Amino acid sequence: MYYNQNTICLLDGKYLKAADAGANFYSQSLHYGNGVFEGIRAYETHKGVSIFKAEAHFERLLHSAEVMQLPVSYSVQELVEMSYELLKRNELTDAYIRPLIYTEANMSLNSSQRTHLFMAAWRWEKLFKDKIPRLMTSSYQRPNPQAFHVEAKVCGHYVNSILATNEARRKGFDDGVMLDMDGYVAEASGANIFYEKNEVLYTPAPGHILPGITRATVLELCKELRIKIVEKKITLEELKAADGVFLAGTAAEITQVHSIDDQTPVMRWEDTFGFMLQKKYEDLVKQRERRWTLI
Ligand code: PMP
């Protein structure tokens, strides 16, 4: 449940009951998907509630709006402050925060020059519950980067993710691995993908993916842990012959992958870099000071 009678949301700078908030049925966002959004996560830490990489998320929101020519009058700092206020008003600690920039009534194919900011937050459950997801190769490719700004988080892009997820669920899997238009591995429906082979980590280079903030965090952690990581074009064969595979995303955090097309990774999860990165990521978002070293 995303909201109840007591939930407060933010609409154009005002905090109001979610049940009382409404949008215009003539919005271009509703008809054509021309809106932008973010998926952000807050954690309860020993220093109080902390929104992980809040600035980076709101910078990406403003970037997404800019490529879609949707004007936004808020600064990153204002957006960060409003998101903390929203958590406070809803007494939320471990939560998911969803800002959305959507348009006024406009049935034309020019971007609206007036936009609205909606922001909601809700208690968060694990993305795959306690399941270790089984992936399948999706028959849906990632969109052509010459047709969309694939690095931006635009509402309409998510039709692609919905198609991939629907297909995976219909066939008894938990998620799809989408390939790019050239047949290389791109990402899952809502998370980036990594694999380990012979003590090196690999992940698809930017170009066809949404280069996630969690992905960037994994790259930083690898530097710190001196794990060699290579960004490159990856074939499905390489991915399926991996020692270990994991997904990375705000919602997914670091999630072990059980299998791809029923092909399981070679190594035990606990022996992979993914396992160590999962613990390290958890410590980071929860601001725990534990020291981790590679033996
Ligand atoms: N790829 C896609 C398609 C996504 O929707 C997401 C979630 N935003 C990601 C990757 C991961 O991005 P992030 O780590 O910034 O959440």
Side-chain angles (χ1 to χ4, degrees):
M1 187 60 181
Y2 301 107
Y3 67 94
N4 60 30
Q5 289 304 314
N6 300 320
T7 306
I8 302 292
C9 69
L10 175 73
L11 187 58
D12 295 330
K14 294 195 182 69
Y15 296 91
L16 69 161
K17 286 255 166 88
D20 297 335
N24 193 311
F25 278 123
Y26 294 82
S27 163
Q28 192 182 46
S29 309
L30 193 57
H31 291 253
Y32 309 137
N34 188 19
V36 297
F37 70 102
E38 267 303 317
I40 312 175
R41 204 154 164 170
Y43 293 91
E44 176 147 36
T45 75
H46 66 283
K47 294 180 191 155
V49 182
S50 172
I51 302 176
F52 186 62
K53 303 230 168 168
E55 282 84 7
H57 279 282
F58 285 116
E59 274 160 19
R60 186 170 66 188
L61 182 74
L62 296 185
H63 167 77
S64 301
E66 194 182 335
V67 300
M68 294 312 298
Q69 296 184 37
L70 294 172
V72 181
S73 58
Y74 303 100
S75 67
V76 166
Q77 202 46 43
E78 285 169 331
L79 291 160
V80 171
E81 281 164 19
M82 287 188 284
S83 53
Y84 273 104
E85 181 63 25
L86 185 67
L87 291 177
K88 203 166 122 194
R89 288 186 187 231
N90 285 291
E91 295 176 15
L92 286 167
T93 52
D94 288 299
Y96 187 77
I97 305 165
R98 165 56 56 82
L100 166 72
I101 303 289
Y102 71 96
T103 68
E104 62 176 349
N106 176 7
M107 292 294 101
S108 83
L109 296 179
N110 298 314
S111 275
S112 286
Q113 283 319 293
R114 272 199 61 220
T115 62
H116 300 279
L117 167 68
F118 170 77
M119 207 187 307
W122 54 85
R123 209 173 305 283
W124 185 253
E125 293 188 16
K126 280 192 172 167
L127 182 63
F128 294 101
K129 309 282 184 264
D130 276 324
K131 245 182 173 183
I132 303 170
R134 296 171 61 245
L135 310 189
M136 61 165 278
T137 308
S138 181
S139 68
Y140 294 97
Q141 292 179 342
R142 281 284 292 166
N144 180 341
Q146 290 184 354
F148 295 94
H149 290 276
V150 293
E151 85 296 348
K153 217 164 156 62
V154 179
C155 298
H157 295 183
Y158 281 80
V159 169
N160 177 239
S161 297
I162 289 171
L163 288 169
T165 309
N166 283 351
E167 178 187 48
R169 296 282 160 87
R170 205 169 54 234
K171 296 194 169 171
F173 293 88
D174 301 301
D175 201 358
V177 177
M178 284 187 275
L179 307 182
D180 66 28
M181 54 186 282
D182 302 317
Y184 293 101
V185 172
E187 60 185 328
S189 63
N192 294 114
I193 195 158
F194 289 76
Y195 80 89
E196 176 179 342
K197 190 71 193 176
N198 300 330
E199 299 188 5
V200 179
L201 265 187
Y202 298 89
T203 195
H208 296 265
I209 59 170
L210 181 95
I213 289 162
T214 318
R215 177 185 181 277
T217 307
V218 169
L219 296 181
E220 287 163 19
L221 291 177
C222 283
K223 209 172 201 183
E224 197 184 306
L225 292 167
R226 300 212 182 90
I227 294 172
K228 189 173 174 206
I229 176 145
V230 178
E231 296 171 74
K232 68 176 197 92
K233 285 190 183 297
I234 291 166
T235 65
L236 203 48
E237 291 66 36
E238 286 172 306
L239 183 67
K240 287 192 191 176
D243 292 336
V245 183
F246 64 88
L247 299 178
T250 298
E253 301 179 295
I254 308 290
T255 295
Q256 172 191 2
V257 168
H258 175 273
S259 53
I260 295 148
D261 299 332
D262 292 324
Q263 179 87 41
T264 49
V266 174
M267 280 165 56
R268 241 173 35 112
W269 171 243
E270 290 73 14
D271 298 331
T272 64
F273 289 145
F275 177 76
M276 172 161 276
L277 287 161
Q278 188 180 49
K279 301 280 169 234
K280 188 84 187 163
Y281 184 82
E282 205 182 306
D283 286 354
L284 185 66
V285 298
K286 296 196 176 151
Q287 301 189 13
R288 291 194 200 118
E289 299 292 337
R290 234 172 338 158
R291 285 248 157 260
W292 284 86
T293 45
L294 274 183
I295 325 161

